[in-house]
Amino acid sequence: MPFAAGTVVTASDTFRADVGVRAGRIVAVAAELEGASREIDASGLLVLPGGIDSHVHIAQPSGPDVVMADDFASATAAAAAGGNTCIMPFALQQRGTSLRRCVEDYVRQAEGECHIDVSVHLIISDPTPEVLGQELPALLKAGYTSFKVFMTYDDLVLNDRQLLDVFEVARRERALVMVHAEGYDAIKYMTDRLERAGQTAPFFHAASRPELVEREAAHRAISHAELIDVPIMIVHVSGREAMEQIRWAQQRGLKIYAETCPQYLTLTADDLKGLNMEGAKYVCSPPPRDAASQAAIWEGIQQGVFQTFSSDHCPFRYESSEGKLTPKGKTSFRWVPNGIPGIETRLPILFSEGVSAGRISLNRFVELTSTNHAKIYGLYPRKGSIGVGFDADIALWDPHRRTTIRQENLHHGSDYTPWEGFEVTGWPVMTIARGEIVARDGVIVGKKGRDGFWSGIFLHTPQPGSCPETSERVVILTSRCKYEKRVPRLEVVPRSLPDPGIRGSRFYLAS
């Protein structure tokens, strides 16, 4: 399809314009701007808001003798190379521990290590009276306005009463709850039955978690949310059965949001059939389904059932006893680490399969990958679009570039990609995070060091000497795209959230 040179695309508009940037913020959008200190030629490219990936797992505790493949440095580098300017991982509360202490420990891992902005959700696994009465409300008031709960996994699952108690706190504090919806008891039953039959290979991971366990849990989560009157986001929806529960709830006016991921558009359960343990590379939950499920997910994307498209990046190494080839995993699929890498390939896959293939518009692409994430999770109107006052978080895309995804070209910490050999049309050629080029043509050119952590968002503080002494020179992004790094200066800005009654907060940005 034809694209004009230097075309700016937002969730609502497509237009030609120069975009002026100063001190890391967009200060002008006009037909023509002059006087910038530096120009970047964007002829033939699309100028899009930087991607926001609101569902990633980084440096997260993953059980005995299992280690996640990405730290904050590698994960944010991979995200930047893939056209993202902000990611949102999870501070996980391990059972028997203080929620606040878990958050503090997690934040320390990220300080000084990030190439792009990082904002953090919470995971609640142990909703004790102290957590529900003190720690969680205090953290929500401090700016952590979203948290995740699980309806499965031995060390994370909450029972129905615990879910209701947590939902009640979210309602009172005006927070958003993210829900991993799979039925714990049904999965345990199926797993035990499959193991007794000797069906322990990675492929049977998918058989242990059929669509109906996702459908049942989604309906139960929706019912709890309706009872408490609290908004929830059902994450990583894999097929029609759960999707139809969500659509039913949305049509009744309930505050139910939904997210899906690349694996549910491009992978199937058959990928788990690889020889020996090769199928372990594709083990994630919910598992990929089949072609009919892929068609259903596209239907939900096109019809607006899904508000966000995330990666659910959860990376493990394959050739490692601390990863997919953990010794226990060879005895049964139940012990194979759950999760696949995808932080760098999320945007190109949706662009290629969605925009280039004619399934969705450019504006819908921006909405699914950036704008809605910012609105739902409290980063709008600083992030998620291109306009005066927004952060200069911008990705330049070549819509015609054909690329074959190869592990050797990716930046994540995993030693494989589930999309090895997958061909895409459309690729981000430059990523600019708050006025600073961080990735160009697949090479990380920005220094890590996005320092500071307040109210749930990490801030980038450039290394000494990396910014000009004055912030007065205007920079422009256009078909003659121009840019300038910003002067670091702390500024307090409001953190607003959308209408479903979710409380706003405050965070600090270095601008």
Side-chain angles (χ1 to χ4, degrees):
M1 61 183 70
F3 295 97
T7 303
V8 177
V9 183
T10 69
S12 57
D13 299 295
T14 304
F15 56 94
R16 289 290 306 278
D18 288 357
V19 182
V21 177
R22 181 173 58 212
R25 301 277 292 277
I26 296 173
V27 295
V29 179
E32 185 173 350
L33 297 172
E34 299 294 340
S37 61
R38 182 175 177 182
E39 296 186 4
I40 300 172
D41 185 5
S43 299
L45 303 179
L46 301 175
V47 182
L48 307 184
I52 301 173
D53 195 343
S54 59
H55 188 162
V56 301
H57 300 273
I58 300 169
Q60 185 176 296
S62 303
D65 304 318
V66 175
V67 178
M68 198 162 277
D70 269 320
D71 57 17
F72 280 90
S74 61
T76 56
N84 299 281
T85 52
C86 183
I87 60 172
M88 303 185 74
F90 298 86
L92 182 151
Q93 177 205 20
Q94 298 187 74
R95 285 187 175 164
T97 63
S98 160
L99 175 61
R100 178 175 290 278
R101 179 63 59 84
C102 291
V103 172
E104 292 170 349
D105 291 345
Y106 193 64
V107 169
R108 277 193 289 270
Q109 295 185 62
E111 290 178 343
E113 295 297 314
C114 300
H115 292 272
I116 59 175
D117 286 336
V118 178
S119 185
V120 174
H121 311 289
L122 312 176
I123 289 178
I124 311 301
S125 69
D126 195 5
T128 63
E130 181 180 3
V131 168
L132 295 181
Q134 300 175 34
E135 291 190 325
L136 181 55
L139 286 165
L140 293 173
K141 286 183 173 68
Y144 297 86
T145 53
S146 51
F147 61 87
K148 185 178 179 182
V149 295
F150 286 80
M151 300 176 73
T152 190
Y153 297 132
D154 291 343
D155 54 349
L156 295 172
V157 61
L158 302 187
N159 62 38
D160 284 348
R161 177 54 189 266
Q162 290 173 320
L163 289 171
L164 291 165
D165 288 341
V166 170
F167 283 15
E168 177 59 34
V169 175
R171 181 182 184 276
R172 185 174 67 245
E173 302 297 334
R174 299 173 64 191
L176 178 66
V177 185
M178 305 168 73
V179 181
H180 179 131
E182 288 185 294
Y184 175 70
D185 289 325
I187 292 170
K188 291 282 287 184
Y189 167 78
M190 289 297 297
T191 299
D192 290 344
R193 190 171 79 172
L194 288 164
E195 287 181 337
R196 287 195 301 269
Q199 297 174 320
T200 58
F203 170 74
F204 294 101
H205 168 77
S208 74
R209 307 171 104 92
E211 269 199 83
L212 67 89
V213 305
E214 189 181 357
R215 178 195 70 204
E216 179 275 330
H219 182 83
R220 186 156 36 102
I222 290 166
S223 299
H224 293 342
E226 182 179 16
L227 181 65
I228 303 299
D229 188 24
V230 66
I232 64 172
M233 165 72 77
I234 298 180
V235 296
H236 46 51
V237 177
S238 71
R240 180 173 299 280
E241 295 193 25
M243 185 190 75
E244 288 185 342
Q245 296 297 310
I246 294 162
R247 177 157 48 197
W248 168 82
Q250 292 171 344
Q251 289 173 345
R252 296 184 64 217
L254 300 181
K255 303 167 188 174
I256 308 299
Y257 303 105
E259 165 204 278
T260 194
C261 310
Q263 49 268 37
Y264 306 121
L265 294 178
T266 55
L267 304 179
T268 70
D270 286 344
D271 290 306
L272 279 73
K273 289 181 177 178
L275 294 175
N276 300 316
M277 288 293 290
E278 284 287 318
K281 293 180 177 180
Y282 304 90
V283 168
C284 60
S285 295
R289 304 297 183 186
D290 55 20
S293 296
Q294 292 175 352
I297 296 300
W298 277 118
E299 177 186 308
I301 287 174
Q302 293 164 337
Q303 296 181 359
V305 178
F306 295 107
Q307 285 69 51
T308 61
F309 186 83
S310 303
S311 67
D312 192 15
H313 177 73
C314 189
F316 298 96
R317 294 177 182 86
Y318 177 69
E319 296 285 354
S320 172
S321 61
E322 295 179 324
K324 293 288 188 176
L325 295 186
T326 178
K328 290 182 69 175
K330 296 177 182 179
T331 67
S332 173
F333 62 84
R334 86 156 73 204
W335 306 114
V336 174
N338 257 265
I340 60 176
I343 200 168
E344 191 168 350
T345 50
R346 170 187 73 120
L347 297 179
I349 288 171
L350 183 62
F351 191 98
S352 183
E353 296 299 298
V355 178
S356 299
R359 292 185 174 101
I360 60 173
S361 68
L362 273 168
N363 308 100
R364 179 65 171 147
F365 174 82
V366 170
E367 185 179 39
L368 285 164
T369 60
S370 183
T371 307
N372 282 354
H373 299 256
K375 289 183 175 181
I376 289 171
Y377 294 109
L379 304 177
Y380 195 89
R382 287 297 297 268
K383 296 185 181 296
S385 192
I386 295 176
V388 174
F390 284 86
D391 288 344
D393 290 348
I394 297 169
L396 303 184
W397 281 74
D398 181 345
H400 306 296
R401 178 173 172 178
R402 294 185 177 180
T403 301
T404 300
I405 295 174
R406 300 290 186 194
Q407 165 64 20
E408 63 192 40
N409 298 324
L410 301 179
H411 299 77
H412 59 212
S414 181
D415 58 0
Y416 79 99
T417 171
W419 289 279
E420 184 72 32
F422 192 91
E423 296 184 357
V424 296
T425 301
W427 196 266
V429 296
M430 183 179 292
T431 305
I432 300 168
R434 280 196 273 127
E436 179 180 356
I437 298 178
V438 292
R440 182 193 290 116
D441 291 325
V443 177
I444 302 302
V445 297
K447 296 179 180 179
K448 67 180 181 180
R450 292 194 168 241
D451 294 330
F453 182 87
W454 297 272
S455 298
I457 185 164
F458 292 100
L459 313 175
H460 180 85
T461 301
Q463 299 299 318
S466 65
C467 288
E469 294 300 319
T470 174
S471 62
E472 294 306 311
R473 292 175 291 171
V474 177
V475 290
I476 302 169
L477 284 166
T478 177
S479 56
R480 304 175 312 285
C481 215
K482 310 175 185 182
Y483 104 106
E484 175 180 302
K485 298 177 182 178
R486 78 253 178 269
V487 178
R489 177 177 56 81
L490 286 181
E491 176 188 1
V492 182
V493 295
R495 182 173 180 176
S496 60
L497 287 164
D499 183 39
I502 306 171
R503 176 186 46 78
S505 182
R506 292 161 66 84
F507 64 95
Y508 297 76
L509 290 180
S511 61

